Every structure is written in structure tokens, then in C-alpha cells.
Coordinates of all heavy atoms in Angstrom, one line a residue:
M336 N 174.7 -124.0 27.3 CA 176.1 -123.6 27.3 C 176.9 -124.4 28.4 O 176.3 -124.7 29.4 CB 176.3 -122.1 27.6 CG 177.7 -121.6 27.5 SD 177.9 -119.9 27.8 CE 177.1 -119.2 26.4
T337 N 178.1 -124.7 28.1 CA 178.9 -125.5 29.0 C 180.3 -125.0 29.0 O 180.8 -124.2 28.1 CB 178.9 -127.0 28.7 OG1 179.5 -127.7 29.7 CG2 179.6 -127.3 27.4
A338 N 181.1 -125.3 30.0 CA 182.5 -125.0 30.1 C 183.2 -126.1 29.3 O 183.2 -127.3 29.6 CB 183.0 -125.0 31.5
G339 N 183.8 -125.7 28.2 CA 184.5 -126.6 27.3 C 186.0 -126.8 27.5 O 186.5 -126.3 28.5
K340 N 186.6 -127.4 26.6 CA 188.0 -127.7 26.6 C 188.8 -126.4 26.7 O 188.5 -125.4 26.1 CB 188.4 -128.4 25.3 CG 189.7 -129.0 25.3 CD 189.9 -129.8 24.1 CE 191.2 -130.6 24.2 NZ 191.3 -131.6 23.1
G341 N 189.8 -126.5 27.6 CA 190.7 -125.3 27.8 C 190.3 -124.3 28.7 O 191.0 -123.3 29.0
T342 N 189.1 -124.5 29.4 CA 188.7 -123.5 30.4 C 189.2 -123.9 31.7 O 189.4 -125.1 32.0 CB 187.1 -123.4 30.4 OG1 186.6 -124.7 30.8 CG2 186.6 -123.0 29.1
F343 N 189.4 -123.0 32.6 CA 189.9 -123.4 34.0 C 188.8 -124.2 34.7 O 189.1 -125.0 35.6 CB 190.5 -122.3 34.8 CG 189.6 -121.1 35.1 CD1 188.8 -121.1 36.2 CD2 189.7 -120.0 34.3 CE1 188.0 -120.0 36.4 CE2 188.9 -118.9 34.5 CZ 188.0 -118.9 35.6
I344 N 187.5 -124.0 34.3 CA 186.4 -124.8 35.0 C 186.6 -126.3 34.6 O 186.6 -127.2 35.4 CB 185.1 -124.3 34.6 CG1 184.8 -122.9 35.2 CG2 184.0 -125.3 35.1 CD1 183.6 -122.2 34.7
S345 N 186.9 -126.5 33.3 CA 187.2 -127.9 32.9 C 188.4 -128.4 33.5 O 188.5 -129.6 34.0 CB 187.3 -127.9 31.3 OG 187.5 -129.3 30.9
D346 N 189.4 -127.6 33.7 CA 190.7 -128.0 34.4 C 190.4 -128.4 35.8 O 190.9 -129.4 36.3 CB 191.7 -126.9 34.3 CG 192.3 -126.7 32.9 OD1 192.1 -127.6 32.0 OD2 192.9 -125.6 32.7
M347 N 189.5 -127.6 36.5 CA 189.1 -127.9 37.9 C 188.4 -129.3 38.0 O 188.7 -130.0 38.9 CB 188.3 -126.8 38.4 CG 189.0 -125.5 38.7 SD 188.0 -124.1 39.2 CE 187.4 -124.7 40.8
V348 N 187.5 -129.6 37.0 CA 186.9 -130.9 37.1 C 187.9 -132.0 36.9 O 187.8 -133.0 37.7 CB 185.8 -130.9 35.9 CG1 185.3 -132.4 35.8 CG2 184.7 -130.0 36.2
G349 N 188.9 -131.8 36.0 CA 189.9 -132.8 35.9 C 190.8 -133.0 37.1 O 191.1 -134.1 37.5
I350 N 191.2 -131.9 37.7 CA 192.0 -131.9 38.9 C 191.2 -132.6 40.1 O 191.8 -133.3 40.9 CB 192.4 -130.5 39.4 CG1 193.4 -129.9 38.3 CG2 193.0 -130.5 40.8 CD1 193.7 -128.4 38.5
A351 N 189.9 -132.4 40.1 CA 189.0 -133.0 41.1 C 188.8 -134.5 40.9 O 188.2 -135.2 41.7 CB 187.7 -132.3 41.2
G352 N 189.3 -135.0 39.7 CA 189.1 -136.4 39.4 C 188.0 -136.8 38.5 O 187.6 -137.9 38.4
G353 N 187.4 -135.8 37.9 CA 186.3 -136.0 37.0 C 186.7 -135.9 35.5 O 187.8 -135.5 35.2
A354 N 185.8 -136.2 34.7 CA 186.0 -135.9 33.2 C 184.8 -135.0 32.8 O 183.7 -135.3 33.0 CB 185.9 -137.3 32.5
N355 N 185.2 -133.9 32.1 CA 184.2 -132.9 31.7 C 183.6 -133.3 30.4 O 184.3 -133.3 29.4 CB 184.9 -131.5 31.7 CG 183.9 -130.5 31.2 OD1 182.7 -130.6 31.3 ND2 184.4 -129.4 30.8
L356 N 182.4 -133.7 30.3 CA 181.7 -134.0 29.0 C 181.7 -132.8 28.1 O 181.7 -132.9 26.9 CB 180.3 -134.5 29.2 CG 180.1 -135.8 30.0 CD1 178.6 -136.1 30.1 CD2 180.9 -136.9 29.3
G357 N 181.8 -131.6 28.6 CA 181.8 -130.4 27.8 C 183.0 -130.2 27.0 O 183.0 -129.5 26.0
D358 N 184.1 -130.9 27.3 CA 185.3 -130.9 26.4 C 185.0 -131.3 25.0 O 185.6 -130.8 24.1 CB 186.4 -131.7 27.0 CG 187.0 -131.1 28.3 OD1 186.7 -129.9 28.6 OD2 187.9 -131.8 28.9
S359 N 184.0 -132.2 24.9 CA 183.7 -132.7 23.5 C 183.0 -131.7 22.6 O 183.0 -131.8 21.4 CB 182.9 -134.0 23.6 OG 181.6 -133.7 24.1
A360 N 182.5 -130.6 23.3 CA 181.8 -129.6 22.5 C 182.7 -128.6 21.9 O 182.3 -127.8 21.1 CB 180.8 -128.9 23.4
G361 N 184.0 -128.6 22.4 CA 185.0 -127.7 21.8 C 185.5 -126.7 22.9 O 185.2 -126.9 24.1
P362 N 186.4 -125.8 22.5 CA 187.0 -124.9 23.4 C 186.1 -123.8 23.9 O 185.1 -123.5 23.2 CB 188.2 -124.3 22.6 CG 187.7 -124.4 21.2 CD 186.9 -125.6 21.1
G363 N 186.5 -123.2 25.0 CA 185.7 -122.0 25.5 C 184.4 -122.4 26.1 O 184.3 -123.4 26.9
F364 N 183.4 -121.7 25.8 CA 182.0 -121.9 26.4 C 181.0 -122.2 25.3 O 180.2 -121.3 25.0 CB 181.7 -120.8 27.3 CG 182.5 -120.7 28.5 CD1 183.7 -119.9 28.5 CD2 182.2 -121.4 29.7 CE1 184.5 -119.8 29.6 CE2 183.1 -121.3 30.8 CZ 184.2 -120.6 30.8
P365 N 181.1 -123.3 24.7 CA 180.2 -123.6 23.5 C 178.8 -124.0 24.0 O 178.6 -124.4 25.1 CB 180.9 -124.8 22.8 CG 181.5 -125.5 24.0 CD 182.0 -124.4 24.9
N366 N 177.9 -124.0 23.0 CA 176.6 -124.6 23.3 C 176.7 -126.1 23.3 O 177.6 -126.6 22.7 CB 175.6 -124.2 22.2 CG 175.2 -122.7 22.3 OD1 175.1 -122.1 23.3 ND2 175.0 -122.1 21.1
F367 N 175.9 -126.7 24.2 CA 176.0 -128.1 24.4 C 174.6 -128.7 24.3 O 173.7 -128.3 25.1 CB 176.6 -128.4 25.7 CG 177.0 -129.9 25.9 CD1 178.2 -130.3 25.3 CD2 176.3 -130.7 26.7 CE1 178.6 -131.7 25.5 CE2 176.7 -132.1 26.9 CZ 177.9 -132.5 26.3
S368 N 174.3 -129.5 23.3 CA 172.9 -130.0 23.1 C 172.5 -131.0 24.2 O 173.2 -131.8 24.7 CB 172.8 -130.6 21.7 OG 173.4 -131.9 21.7
S369 N 171.2 -130.9 24.5 CA 170.6 -131.8 25.4 C 170.7 -133.3 24.9 O 170.8 -134.2 25.7 CB 169.1 -131.5 25.7 OG 169.0 -130.2 26.3
E370 N 170.6 -133.4 23.6 CA 170.7 -134.7 23.0 C 172.0 -135.4 23.3 O 172.1 -136.6 23.6 CB 170.5 -134.7 21.5 CG 169.1 -134.3 21.0 CD 168.8 -132.8 21.1 OE1 169.8 -132.0 21.2 OE2 167.6 -132.4 21.0
V371 N 173.1 -134.6 23.2 CA 174.4 -135.2 23.5 C 174.5 -135.5 25.0 O 175.0 -136.5 25.4 CB 175.5 -134.2 23.1 CG1 176.9 -134.7 23.6 CG2 175.6 -134.1 21.5
L372 N 174.0 -134.6 25.8 CA 174.0 -134.9 27.3 C 173.3 -136.1 27.6 O 173.8 -137.0 28.4 CB 173.4 -133.7 28.0 CG 173.3 -133.8 29.5 CD1 174.6 -133.7 30.2 CD2 172.3 -132.8 30.1
L373 N 172.1 -136.3 27.0 CA 171.3 -137.5 27.3 C 172.0 -138.8 26.8 O 172.0 -139.8 27.4 CB 169.9 -137.4 26.7 CG 169.0 -136.3 27.3 CD1 167.8 -136.1 26.5 CD2 168.7 -136.6 28.8
K374 N 172.7 -138.7 25.6 CA 173.4 -139.8 25.1 C 174.6 -140.2 26.0 O 174.9 -141.3 26.3 CB 173.9 -139.5 23.7 CG 174.7 -140.6 23.0 CD 175.3 -140.2 21.7 CE 176.4 -139.3 21.7 NZ 177.6 -139.7 22.3
D375 N 175.3 -139.1 26.4 CA 176.6 -139.4 27.2 C 176.2 -139.8 28.7 O 177.1 -140.4 29.3 CB 177.5 -138.2 27.2 CG 178.1 -137.9 25.9 OD1 178.1 -138.8 25.0 OD2 178.7 -136.8 25.7
D376 N 175.0 -139.5 29.2 CA 174.5 -139.9 30.4 C 175.5 -139.8 31.6 O 176.0 -140.8 32.1 CB 174.0 -141.3 30.4 CG 173.2 -141.8 31.6 OD1 172.7 -140.9 32.3 OD2 173.2 -143.0 31.8
P377 N 175.8 -138.5 32.0 CA 176.8 -138.4 33.1 C 176.3 -138.9 34.4 O 175.2 -139.0 34.8 CB 176.9 -136.8 33.2 CG 175.6 -136.3 32.7 CD 175.2 -137.3 31.6
A378 N 177.3 -139.4 35.2 CA 177.1 -139.9 36.6 C 176.9 -138.7 37.6 O 176.3 -138.9 38.6 CB 178.2 -140.8 37.0
V379 N 177.5 -137.6 37.2 CA 177.4 -136.4 38.1 C 177.1 -135.2 37.2 O 177.6 -135.1 36.1 CB 178.7 -136.1 38.8 CG1 178.7 -134.8 39.6 CG2 179.1 -137.3 39.7
Y380 N 176.2 -134.4 37.6 CA 175.8 -133.2 36.8 C 176.0 -132.0 37.8 O 175.4 -131.9 38.8 CB 174.3 -133.3 36.4 CG 173.9 -132.1 35.4 CD1 173.8 -132.4 34.1 CD2 173.6 -130.9 35.9 CE1 173.4 -131.4 33.2 CE2 173.2 -129.9 35.0 CZ 173.1 -130.1 33.7 OH 172.7 -129.1 32.8
I381 N 176.8 -131.0 37.4 CA 177.1 -129.8 38.2 C 176.7 -128.6 37.4 O 177.2 -128.4 36.2 CB 178.6 -129.7 38.6 CG1 179.0 -131.0 39.3 CG2 178.8 -128.5 39.4 CD1 180.5 -131.1 39.6
A382 N 175.8 -127.8 37.9 CA 175.4 -126.6 37.3 C 175.8 -125.4 38.2 O 176.0 -125.6 39.4 CB 173.9 -126.6 37.1
D383 N 176.1 -124.3 37.6 CA 176.4 -123.1 38.4 C 175.2 -122.2 38.5 O 174.3 -122.3 37.7 CB 177.6 -122.3 37.8 CG 177.3 -121.6 36.5 OD1 176.4 -122.0 35.8 OD2 178.0 -120.6 36.2
S384 N 175.2 -121.5 39.6 CA 174.1 -120.6 39.9 C 174.7 -119.2 40.3 O 175.7 -119.2 41.1 CB 173.3 -121.1 41.1 OG 172.3 -120.2 41.4
G385 N 174.2 -118.2 39.8 CA 174.6 -116.8 40.1 C 173.7 -115.8 39.5 O 172.6 -116.2 39.1
S386 N 174.2 -114.6 39.3 CA 173.4 -113.6 38.8 C 172.9 -113.8 37.3 O 171.9 -113.3 36.9 CB 174.1 -112.2 38.8 OG 175.3 -112.3 38.1
M387 N 173.7 -114.6 36.6 CA 173.4 -114.9 35.2 C 172.8 -116.2 34.9 O 172.5 -116.5 33.8 CB 174.7 -114.7 34.3 CG 175.3 -113.3 34.4 SD 174.2 -112.0 33.8 CE 174.3 -112.3 32.0
S388 N 172.8 -117.1 35.9 CA 172.2 -118.4 35.7 C 171.5 -118.9 36.9 O 172.0 -118.8 38.0 CB 173.3 -119.4 35.3 OG 174.2 -119.6 36.3
K389 N 170.3 -119.5 36.7 CA 169.6 -120.1 37.8 C 169.1 -121.5 37.2 O 168.1 -121.5 36.4 CB 168.4 -119.3 38.2 CG 168.8 -117.8 38.5 CD 168.1 -117.4 39.8 CE 168.5 -116.0 40.1 NZ 169.9 -115.7 40.4
P390 N 169.8 -122.6 37.6 CA 169.5 -123.8 36.9 C 168.1 -124.4 37.2 O 167.6 -125.2 36.4 CB 170.6 -124.8 37.4 CG 171.1 -124.1 38.7 CD 170.8 -122.7 38.5
G391 N 167.5 -124.1 38.3 CA 166.2 -124.7 38.6 C 166.2 -126.2 38.8 O 167.3 -126.8 39.0
D392 N 165.0 -126.8 38.7 CA 164.9 -128.3 38.9 C 165.3 -129.0 37.6 O 164.5 -129.1 36.6 CB 163.5 -128.6 39.3 CG 163.4 -130.1 39.6 OD1 164.4 -130.8 39.7 OD2 162.2 -130.6 39.7
L393 N 166.5 -129.5 37.5 CA 166.9 -130.2 36.3 C 166.1 -131.5 36.0 O 165.9 -131.8 34.8 CB 168.4 -130.6 36.4 CG 169.4 -129.4 36.5 CD1 170.8 -129.9 36.8 CD2 169.4 -128.6 35.3
S394 N 165.6 -132.1 37.0 CA 164.9 -133.4 36.8 C 163.6 -133.1 36.0 O 163.0 -134.0 35.4 CB 164.6 -134.1 38.1 OG 163.7 -133.3 38.9
G395 N 163.1 -131.9 36.0 CA 161.9 -131.6 35.3 C 162.1 -131.3 33.8 O 161.1 -131.1 33.1
R396 N 163.3 -131.2 33.4 CA 163.5 -130.9 32.0 C 163.3 -132.1 31.2 O 163.5 -133.2 31.6 CB 165.0 -130.4 31.8 CG 165.3 -129.1 32.4 CD 166.7 -128.6 32.2 NE 167.0 -127.4 32.9 CZ 168.1 -126.8 32.9 NH1 169.1 -127.3 32.2 NH2 168.3 -125.7 33.6
P397 N 162.8 -132.0 29.9 CA 162.5 -133.2 29.1 C 163.7 -134.1 29.0 O 164.7 -133.7 28.5 CB 162.1 -132.6 27.7 CG 161.6 -131.2 28.1 CD 162.5 -130.7 29.2
G398 N 163.4 -135.4 29.3 CA 164.5 -136.4 29.2 C 165.5 -136.5 30.3 O 166.1 -137.5 30.5
F399 N 165.6 -135.4 31.1 CA 166.6 -135.4 32.2 C 166.3 -136.4 33.3 O 167.3 -136.9 34.0 CB 166.8 -134.0 32.8 CG 167.6 -133.1 31.9 CD1 167.5 -133.0 30.6 CD2 168.6 -132.3 32.5 CE1 168.2 -132.2 29.8 CE2 169.3 -131.4 31.8 CZ 169.2 -131.4 30.4
S400 N 165.1 -136.8 33.5 CA 164.8 -137.8 34.6 C 165.4 -139.1 34.3 O 165.6 -139.9 35.2 CB 163.3 -137.9 34.8 OG 162.7 -138.4 33.6
S401 N 165.8 -139.4 33.0 CA 166.5 -140.6 32.7 C 168.0 -140.6 32.9 O 168.6 -141.7 32.8 CB 166.2 -141.0 31.2 OG 166.8 -140.1 30.4
L402 N 168.6 -139.4 33.2 CA 170.0 -139.4 33.4 C 170.4 -140.1 34.7 O 169.7 -140.0 35.7 CB 170.4 -137.9 33.5 CG 170.4 -137.1 32.3 CD1 170.8 -135.6 32.6 CD2 171.4 -137.6 31.2
T403 N 171.5 -140.8 34.7 CA 172.0 -141.5 35.8 C 172.2 -140.5 37.0 O 171.9 -140.8 38.1 CB 173.3 -142.2 35.5 OG1 173.1 -143.2 34.5 CG2 174.0 -142.9 36.7
A404 N 172.8 -139.3 36.7 CA 173.0 -138.3 37.7 C 171.7 -137.9 38.5 O 171.7 -137.8 39.7 CB 173.7 -137.1 37.1
V405 N 170.6 -137.8 37.7 CA 169.4 -137.4 38.3 C 168.8 -138.6 39.1 O 168.4 -138.5 40.3 CB 168.4 -137.0 37.2 CG1 167.0 -136.8 37.8 CG2 168.8 -135.7 36.6
K406 N 168.8 -139.8 38.5 CA 168.3 -141.0 39.2 C 169.1 -141.3 40.5 O 168.5 -141.7 41.5 CB 168.3 -142.2 38.3 CG 167.3 -142.1 37.1 CD 167.2 -143.4 36.4 CE 168.4 -143.6 35.4 NZ 168.2 -144.7 34.5
D407 N 170.4 -141.1 40.5 CA 171.2 -141.4 41.7 C 171.3 -140.2 42.7 O 172.0 -140.3 43.7 CB 172.6 -141.8 41.2 CG 172.6 -143.2 40.5 OD1 171.6 -143.9 40.6 OD2 173.6 -143.5 39.9
G408 N 170.7 -139.1 42.3 CA 170.7 -137.9 43.2 C 172.1 -137.2 43.2 O 172.5 -136.6 44.2
H409 N 172.8 -137.2 42.1 CA 174.1 -136.6 42.0 C 174.0 -135.4 41.1 O 174.9 -135.2 40.2 CB 175.1 -137.6 41.5 CG 175.4 -138.7 42.4 ND1 176.1 -139.8 42.1 CD2 174.9 -138.9 43.7 CE1 176.2 -140.6 43.1 NE2 175.4 -140.1 44.1
V410 N 173.0 -134.6 41.3 CA 172.9 -133.3 40.6 C 173.2 -132.2 41.7 O 172.6 -132.2 42.7 CB 171.4 -133.1 40.1 CG1 171.3 -131.7 39.5 CG2 171.1 -134.2 39.0
Y411 N 174.1 -131.3 41.3 CA 174.6 -130.3 42.3 C 174.6 -129.0 41.6 O 174.8 -128.8 40.4 CB 176.0 -130.7 42.7 CG 176.2 -132.1 43.3 CD1 176.7 -133.1 42.5 CD2 175.8 -132.3 44.6 CE1 176.8 -134.4 43.1 CE2 175.9 -133.6 45.1 CZ 176.4 -134.6 44.4 OH 176.5 -135.9 44.9
V412 N 174.5 -128.0 42.5 CA 174.6 -126.6 42.1 C 175.7 -125.9 42.9 O 175.7 -126.1 44.1 CB 173.2 -125.8 42.3 CG1 173.3 -124.4 41.9 CG2 172.1 -126.5 41.5
I413 N 176.6 -125.2 42.2 CA 177.7 -124.5 42.8 C 177.6 -123.1 42.5 O 177.2 -122.7 41.4 CB 179.0 -125.1 42.4 CG1 180.2 -124.6 43.2 CG2 179.3 -125.0 40.9 CD1 181.5 -125.3 43.0
Q414 N 177.9 -122.2 43.4 CA 177.9 -120.8 43.2 C 179.0 -120.4 42.1 O 180.1 -120.9 42.2 CB 178.2 -120.0 44.5 CG 177.0 -120.0 45.4 CD 175.8 -119.3 44.9 OE1 175.9 -118.3 44.2 NE2 174.7 -119.9 45.1
D415 N 178.6 -119.7 41.1 CA 179.5 -119.4 40.0 C 180.7 -118.6 40.4 O 181.8 -118.7 39.8 CB 178.8 -118.7 38.9 CG 178.2 -117.3 39.2 OD1 178.3 -116.8 40.4 OD2 177.7 -116.7 38.3
D416 N 180.6 -117.8 41.5 CA 181.8 -117.1 41.9 C 182.9 -118.0 42.5 O 184.0 -117.5 42.7 CB 181.5 -115.9 42.9 CG 180.9 -116.4 44.2 OD1 180.5 -117.6 44.3 OD2 180.9 -115.5 45.1
L417 N 182.6 -119.2 42.8 CA 183.6 -120.2 43.2 C 184.4 -120.9 42.1 O 185.4 -121.5 42.3 CB 183.0 -121.2 44.1 CG 182.4 -120.7 45.4 CD1 181.7 -121.9 46.2 CD2 183.4 -120.1 46.3
I418 N 183.8 -120.8 40.9 CA 184.5 -121.5 39.8 C 184.7 -120.6 38.5 O 185.4 -121.0 37.6 CB 183.6 -122.7 39.4 CG1 182.2 -122.3 38.9 CG2 183.6 -123.7 40.5 CD1 181.4 -123.4 38.3
A419 N 184.0 -119.4 38.4 CA 184.1 -118.7 37.2 C 184.9 -117.4 37.3 O 185.1 -116.8 36.3 CB 182.7 -118.3 36.8
R420 N 185.5 -117.1 38.4 CA 186.3 -115.9 38.6 C 187.6 -116.3 39.2 O 187.7 -116.8 40.3 CB 185.6 -114.9 39.5 CG 184.3 -114.4 39.0 CD 183.7 -113.3 39.9 NE 182.4 -113.0 39.3 CZ 181.4 -112.8 40.1 NH1 181.4 -112.9 41.4 NH2 180.2 -112.5 39.5
P421 N 188.7 -116.0 38.4 CA 190.0 -116.4 39.0 C 190.3 -115.7 40.3 O 190.1 -114.5 40.4 CB 191.0 -115.9 37.9 CG 190.2 -115.7 36.7 CD 188.8 -115.4 37.1
G422 N 190.7 -116.4 41.3 CA 191.0 -115.8 42.5 C 191.1 -116.8 43.6 O 191.0 -118.0 43.4
P423 N 191.2 -116.4 44.9 CA 191.4 -117.3 46.0 C 190.2 -118.2 46.2 O 190.4 -119.3 46.8 CB 191.7 -116.4 47.2 CG 191.4 -115.0 46.8 CD 191.3 -115.0 45.3
R424 N 189.0 -117.8 45.8 CA 187.8 -118.7 46.0 C 187.8 -119.9 45.1 O 187.1 -120.9 45.4 CB 186.5 -117.9 45.8 CG 186.3 -116.9 46.9 CD 185.0 -116.2 46.7 NE 185.2 -115.0 46.0 CZ 184.3 -114.1 45.7 NH1 183.0 -114.4 46.0 NH2 184.6 -113.0 45.1
L425 N 188.7 -120.0 44.1 CA 188.8 -121.2 43.3 C 189.1 -122.4 44.1 O 188.7 -123.5 43.8 CB 189.8 -121.0 42.2 CG 189.4 -120.1 41.0 CD1 190.5 -120.0 40.0 CD2 188.1 -120.5 40.4
A426 N 189.9 -122.2 45.2 CA 190.3 -123.4 46.0 C 189.1 -124.0 46.7 O 188.9 -125.2 46.7 CB 191.3 -122.9 47.1
E427 N 188.2 -123.1 47.1 CA 186.9 -123.6 47.7 C 186.1 -124.3 46.7 O 185.4 -125.3 46.9 CB 186.1 -122.5 48.4 CG 184.8 -122.9 48.9 CD 184.8 -124.0 50.0 OE1 185.8 -124.2 50.6 OE2 183.7 -124.6 50.1
G428 N 186.0 -123.7 45.5 CA 185.3 -124.3 44.4 C 185.8 -125.7 44.0 O 185.0 -126.6 43.8
L429 N 187.1 -125.8 44.0 CA 187.7 -127.1 43.7 C 187.4 -128.1 44.7 O 187.0 -129.3 44.4 CB 189.3 -126.9 43.6 CG 190.0 -128.2 43.3 CD1 189.6 -128.8 41.9 CD2 191.5 -127.9 43.2
R430 N 187.4 -127.7 46.0 CA 187.0 -128.6 47.1 C 185.6 -129.1 46.9 O 185.3 -130.3 47.1 CB 187.2 -127.9 48.4 CG 187.0 -128.9 49.6 CD 187.0 -128.2 51.0 NE 185.9 -127.3 51.1 CZ 184.6 -127.7 51.4 NH1 184.4 -128.9 51.6 NH2 183.6 -126.8 51.5
Q431 N 184.7 -128.1 46.6 CA 183.3 -128.5 46.4 C 183.1 -129.4 45.2 O 182.3 -130.4 45.3 CB 182.4 -127.3 46.3 CG 182.3 -126.5 47.6 CD 181.3 -125.4 47.5 OE1 180.4 -125.4 46.7 NE2 181.4 -124.4 48.4
I432 N 183.8 -129.2 44.1 CA 183.7 -130.0 43.0 C 184.2 -131.5 43.3 O 183.5 -132.4 43.0 CB 184.4 -129.5 41.8 CG1 183.7 -128.2 41.3 CG2 184.5 -130.5 40.6 CD1 184.5 -127.4 40.2
A433 N 185.3 -131.5 44.0 CA 185.8 -132.8 44.4 C 184.8 -133.6 45.3 O 184.6 -134.8 45.1 CB 187.2 -132.7 45.1
R434 N 184.2 -132.9 46.2 CA 183.2 -133.5 47.1 C 182.0 -134.0 46.3 O 181.4 -135.0 46.6 CB 182.8 -132.5 48.1 CG 181.7 -133.0 49.1 CD 181.4 -132.0 50.2 NE 181.7 -132.8 51.4 CZ 182.5 -132.4 52.4 NH1 183.0 -131.2 52.4 NH2 182.7 -133.1 53.5
M435 N 181.6 -133.2 45.2 CA 180.5 -133.6 44.4 C 180.8 -134.9 43.6 O 180.0 -135.7 43.4 CB 180.1 -132.5 43.5 CG 179.5 -131.3 44.2 SD 179.4 -129.8 43.1 CE 178.8 -128.6 44.2
I436 N 182.0 -134.9 43.1 CA 182.4 -136.0 42.2 C 182.7 -137.3 43.0 O 182.4 -138.4 42.6 CB 183.6 -135.7 41.3 CG1 183.2 -134.5 40.4 CG2 184.2 -136.9 40.6 CD1 184.4 -133.9 39.6
H437 N 183.3 -137.1 44.2 CA 183.7 -138.2 45.0 C 183.2 -138.1 46.5 O 184.0 -138.0 47.4 CB 185.3 -138.3 45.1 CG 185.9 -138.5 43.7 ND1 185.8 -139.7 43.0 CD2 186.6 -137.6 42.9 CE1 186.4 -139.5 41.9 NE2 186.9 -138.3 41.8
P438 N 181.9 -138.1 46.6 CA 181.4 -137.9 48.0 C 181.8 -139.0 49.0 O 182.0 -138.7 50.2 CB 179.8 -138.0 47.8 CG 179.6 -138.7 46.5 CD 180.8 -138.4 45.7
E439 N 182.2 -140.2 48.5 CA 182.6 -141.2 49.4 C 184.0 -140.9 50.0 O 184.3 -141.4 51.1 CB 182.8 -142.6 48.6 CG 183.9 -142.6 47.6 CD 183.7 -141.9 46.3 OE1 182.6 -141.3 46.0 OE2 184.6 -141.8 45.5
A440 N 184.8 -140.1 49.4 CA 186.0 -139.7 50.0 C 185.9 -138.7 51.1 O 186.8 -138.5 51.9 CB 186.9 -139.1 48.9
Y441 N 184.7 -138.1 51.2 CA 184.4 -137.1 52.3 C 183.4 -137.6 53.3 O 183.0 -136.9 54.2 CB 183.9 -135.8 51.6 CG 185.0 -135.1 50.8 CD1 185.1 -135.5 49.4 CD2 185.8 -134.2 51.3 CE1 186.1 -134.9 48.7 CE2 186.7 -133.6 50.5 CZ 186.9 -133.9 49.2 OH 187.8 -133.3 48.4
A442 N 183.0 -138.9 53.2 CA 182.1 -139.4 54.1 C 182.6 -139.5 55.5 O 183.8 -139.8 55.7 CB 181.6 -140.8 53.7
T443 N 181.8 -139.1 56.5 CA 182.2 -139.2 57.9 C 181.8 -140.5 58.5 O 180.7 -141.1 58.1 CB 181.6 -138.0 58.7 OG1 180.2 -138.1 58.6 CG2 182.1 -136.7 58.2
Q444 N 182.5 -141.0 59.4 CA 182.2 -142.3 60.0 C 181.4 -142.1 61.2 O 181.4 -141.3 61.9 CB 183.6 -143.0 60.4 CG 184.5 -143.1 59.2 CD 184.2 -144.4 58.5 OE1 183.7 -145.4 59.0 NE2 184.6 -144.5 57.2

């Protein structure tokens, strides 16, 4: 399952300067096939973690070790309460997503 077109999670990815591959799966929270993910080969992979989801080691999933995001070390896990519940914590979630997508913008000298 992924956050698709029209969700505020997808909007947050866009505001943070990314493009949500889940938008191609349709609106809401549609199923998203591994085959499409492997074909689209994202540069960054963000999974949420909370009481309903525990992503585990993504690199161990069949085919995932070939993803650019996995090879480049750009696989991230974000707490679901920072992105899935409307409220003041969305600002922190947006900051974390932006940092995941554009780590160079947050690099310290």
C-alpha cells in the first residue's frame, strides 16, 4: 500500500521537493506493486513505521537490493504520527521528509 494522489502525504512529498511515485497508482491509499516500484526505481524510499506498520529491512525483500535508493543508502523510515495524522506534528514530518529527499541542503560544514 502507498500514499497515492490527493493524499496530504503525497502533498507533503511534493512540498518537500520530491515526486511521489505512489501518485501513479491512483487516489487515496491504493495497493502498489513491487514490479512497478522496481521498474520506476526511486532514488529515495520512505516508509512509515508505527503501530500498524513495521517496514523491516527493505534491502532483504526480493529485488529491492537493485533499487537505486537501497544501493545509495537513501532508504528512510519516518514515524507515522508525523505524516499520517493532521495536526501540528505535520510540520516536523515535512522537515524530516525534506531532509530525506535533499540531505545536501541540510549538510553541516
Side-chain angles (χ1 to χ4, degrees):
M336 182 180 290
T337 190
K340 192 173 189 171
T342 63
F343 59 86
I344 295 172
S345 183
D346 291 344
M347 289 174 68
V348 170
I350 292 167
N355 180 19
L356 294 179
D358 285 354
S359 67
F364 294 90
N366 289 324
F367 193 78
S368 74
S369 295
E370 291 81 12
V371 172
L372 177 71
L373 294 171
K374 178 185 73 65
D375 289 347
D376 191 23
V379 176
Y380 187 104
I381 302 172
D383 71 334
S384 177
S386 63
M387 300 299 287
S388 67
K389 305 224 182 303
D392 181 14
L393 297 172
S394 65
R396 294 181 184 179
F399 279 44
S400 62
S401 68
L402 290 174
T403 298
V405 172
K406 289 190 282 190
D407 292 347
H409 295 171
V410 176
Y411 304 100
V412 178
I413 189 168
Q414 287 297 317
D415 65 357
D416 65 346
L417 296 177
I418 59 169
R420 296 184 185 136
R424 287 187 264 178
L425 288 179
E427 175 58 22
L429 180 59
R430 186 188 68 77
Q431 287 188 25
I432 291 171
R434 178 175 238 129
M435 293 168 182
I436 295 171
H437 301 289
E439 71 284 355
Y441 294 87
T443 57
Q444 302 274 335

